[in-house]
Amino acid sequence: MTHGQTPSDADWRRALTRFVTVIPHTRELGLEVLEVMPEGTTMRLPWCDDLLGDSARGLVHGGVLAMLLDTVCGSAVLPALPAPEVCPTLDLRVDHFRPAVAGRAIFAEARVVRVTESVVFTEGTLWQETGRPLARGIGNFVRLGPRNTPQGFAEALFAEENDHA
């Protein structure tokens, strides 16, 4: 992508893939960015035994679900802004509908509901089976603005594989 060019959905998919591979726990768990579009961001967390919270019943730890909602909602924020900026989580509410079960990937989808000068409001959903949500999340992210975003943040996000940005 060249400087000043508007990122495509494919550019954003590569950028958010780079973003989740910089975070140690999402990298180690193999979180995958499946789709990034103006309507929202979709990710997949493949199954691994490290996700278990209750090994006797084969249930995923609730903290994994909260982490996944925070990550997918936070990732949906970046393409919704005029320019990439650092936006840490202000708060996250998770409503658990049913437990996630062992042996199956967890899918996550999030969209931005509203962007203000200081906060970005998002909502997300998790599922293992289409039409049967596991949990819903409402995430709010504080906008730190250009002054508090590290110089080169956008360039690093969109750097090509062979760049050393």
Side-chain angles (χ1 to χ4, degrees):
M1 192 177 89
T2 60
H3 183 66
Q5 181 182 0
T6 302
S8 67
D9 295 347
D11 293 329
W12 274 113
R13 183 172 179 268
R14 282 189 301 278
L16 293 181
T17 296
R18 179 179 295 246
F19 178 70
V20 300
T21 58
V22 168
I23 303 168
H25 61 274
T26 55
R27 178 184 60 244
E28 293 302 316
L29 292 172
L31 184 61
E32 303 169 59
V33 178
L34 300 179
E35 191 171 48
V36 181
M37 299 185 322
E39 302 82 47
T41 298
T42 306
M43 296 182 174
R44 177 183 177 272
L45 183 63
W47 170 252
C48 74
D49 288 341
D50 292 336
L51 303 180
L52 279 177
D54 182 341
S55 57
R57 295 188 301 162
L59 303 178
V60 174
H61 191 283
V64 171
L65 303 182
M67 173 280 299
L68 188 51
L69 281 164
D70 186 41
T71 303
V72 74
C73 287
S75 294
V77 166
L78 289 168
L81 298 173
E85 64 183 82
V86 174
C87 296
T89 308
L90 181 62
D91 58 40
L92 177 69
R93 173 193 164 120
V94 179
D95 296 321
H96 296 270
F97 301 138
R98 65 180 41 85
V101 296
R104 300 178 70 188
I106 303 171
F107 293 88
E109 183 176 57
R111 70 181 187 95
V112 170
V113 176
R114 183 162 186 250
V115 178
T116 70
E117 287 185 32
S118 56
V119 178
V120 181
F121 300 88
T122 68
E123 59 185 18
T125 305
L126 304 179
W127 71 94
Q128 289 179 303
E129 182 182 334
T130 303
R132 291 184 46 87
L134 299 170
R136 146 183 95 166
I138 305 297
N140 302 316
F141 298 82
V142 64
R143 292 184 66 184
L144 297 184
R147 188 179 80 139
N148 294 307
T149 295
Q151 189 171 4
F153 179 67
E155 292 79 6
L157 201 55
F158 289 105
E160 296 295 327
E161 283 300 314
N162 53 3
D163 289 350
H164 299 290

